[in-house]
Structures are given as structure tokens and as C-alpha cells.
Amino acid sequence: MSTVFQINQFNSTYWRNAKGTWRDTNAIGTWKDYWLEHSDMKFPLMCSVIGCANRAVYGAHVTQSEDVFDKDAMYIAPLCRYCNNPMSMLYFNLAVGTRLVSVK
């Protein structure tokens, strides 16, 4: 069962892109569909990464774990194409109001 939580205040917790997830599937469809199904929200227009003004297009796998392959610590967050790339940035903060859905 998926756990949903929302970032309600700015904190210094850093997130990063999970790795090795591009082949992962779910029973609902895309990971954006998965986020929509479990978050009970409309998909946001803007990327969830603080400082990014791009349009959110993906349900992206993110983690706080140092082990970027740890499936037990992965969440889905709305990100843009640039921010949904492990090579584009190492760490980032997520904006207040971001709703995260656990992969499990």
C-alpha cells in the first residue's frame, strides 16, 4: 500500500533522483498516473524542485537515501524533464506543498 505525505514547510532535507528505475512498471500505467491515483490531487503545472520554473511532466522516482537503488526509500514526485535526470543535479530540495507517493 502506498504512503502519501506532503512537504508542509521548507526544510533542509535533500532529495535526489533514484537510479535504475527507467524499466520499473506499476499496475496503473505511467508513474504520473500512479501519482495521480494515490495523491488525490491534480498534477501540478510546475516542477516540484525549488528554483525550477519548468513544467512538471513526469512522475519521477526520488529518494532521500544515500543508496539511490533502495526501492524501499523511493517516492514519486512531479518533476520536469530536466530535473528527472540523475545526471542533471546531484541533490535538490522539494517545494512546500509537494505531495510524495511511496513506490510501495
Side-chain angles (χ1 to χ4, degrees):
M1 174 157 221
S2 295
T3 302
V4 177
F5 77 91
Q6 184 165 314
I7 297 174
N8 291 320
Q9 63 184 17
F10 176 77
N11 60 50
S12 58
T13 301
Y14 287 103
W15 292 84
R16 60 196 299 182
N17 284 286
K19 293 187 178 178
T21 60
W22 66 276
R23 282 191 225 168
D24 291 357
T25 60
N26 66 75
I28 296 169
T30 68
W31 288 103
K32 179 179 176 179
D33 294 335
Y34 180 88
W35 186 92
L36 286 164
E37 176 77 20
H38 294 287
S39 70
D40 293 325
M41 291 181 71
K42 290 183 179 180
F43 203 73
L45 294 176
M46 304 305 291
C47 181
S48 299
V49 173
I50 289 178
C52 182
N54 294 326
R55 183 175 175 194
V57 292
Y58 293 112
H61 291 80
V62 298
T63 185
Q64 292 176 304
S65 176
E66 284 302 312
D67 179 359
V68 294
F69 297 101
D70 181 2
K71 301 275 188 202
D72 292 330
M74 287 185 194
Y75 294 87
I76 302 300
L79 298 186
C80 70
R81 184 177 322 268
Y82 176 80
C83 294
N84 186 35
N85 180 349
M87 304 308 285
S88 63
M89 64 182 80
L90 189 54
Y91 294 99
F92 50 84
N93 289 109
L94 294 174
V96 172
T98 299
R99 192 162 288 187
L100 298 161
V101 177
S102 69
V103 172
K104 286 195 148 210

